[in-house]
Amino acid sequence: VWREISTLATLGILCVVVLRLVLRRGPITTNRIQGAIAVYLLLGLTYSYLYPLIASLTREPFFVQTADPDSVDYVYFSYVTLTTVGYGDFTAATSTGRMVAISEALGGQLYLVSAVSLLVANIGRPIDRGGRGRGAVIEPEGDPKGDRPNDDDR
């Protein structure tokens, strides 16, 4: 149980650190987009450690199909869920497991269609942190400062 908890904490911190780098002030580059995709993949890995923790805490098998899954089964289930492929060869056995799987599927898809697509659509434009709690704001084209990344930044 402690291994899963410490790994979850490490992956969560890593997600936050990479996301902060992606959203820092400056132009949107391909490196930022790669960082955003890395966060998406780390999210799937994080859930793959959360699922066995749920099984340990509830003392019930996580999957309907097997009572003794390997770690690769959790990783497989997590990425199939995150991408909403949903083959159906593994399904969560408990309502807790199903609700967490739903949160992974919804969170993963919302992250892709909002955060990642916003970055891709605005490549080359600067991110202005805005200050005073406004969060990241993508400045409109025609920036009066003329701050555009050169090819080395992409």
Side-chain angles (χ1 to χ4, degrees):
V1 172
W2 291 111
R3 180 178 152 254
E4 285 92 358
I5 291 172
S6 65
T7 304
L8 278 171
T10 302
L11 289 170
I13 291 168
L14 189 57
C15 282
V16 169
V17 168
V18 174
L19 197 55
R20 286 182 57 93
L21 289 171
V22 167
L23 296 176
R24 75 183 188 280
R25 184 182 198 116
I28 298 172
T29 62
T30 55
N31 287 340
R32 286 184 196 248
I33 294 168
Q34 289 170 352
I37 292 168
V39 170
Y40 179 73
L41 296 174
L42 283 169
L43 184 64
L45 193 57
T46 302
Y47 273 93
S48 75
Y49 280 90
L50 181 58
Y51 295 136
L53 180 61
I54 291 169
S56 295
L57 294 175
T58 62
R59 293 190 172 105
E60 296 181 47
F62 186 80
F63 296 116
V64 171
Q65 293 78 6
T66 180
D68 189 29
D70 295 324
S71 59
V72 72
D73 294 330
Y74 290 111
V75 172
Y76 169 79
F77 176 75
S78 178
Y79 284 109
V80 166
T81 302
L82 182 68
T83 59
T84 65
V85 171
Y87 292 124
D89 50 351
F90 284 104
T91 52
T94 65
S95 51
T96 302
R98 289 190 294 273
M99 292 302 109
V100 172
I102 288 170
S103 76
E104 180 180 18
L106 288 174
Q109 290 307 298
L110 289 172
Y111 179 77
L112 277 182
V113 301
S114 58
V116 176
S117 65
L118 186 62
L119 289 172
V120 170
N122 289 287
I123 193 162
R125 294 183 183 164
I127 292 179
D128 179 13
R129 294 292 296 176
R132 292 185 173 55
R134 281 188 32 213
V137 177
I138 297 174
E139 294 180 357
E141 262 188 273
D143 176 296
K145 297 178 232 167
D147 294 332
R148 294 286 177 245
N150 60 32
D151 289 339
D152 296 337
D153 291 333
R154 291 185 189 180

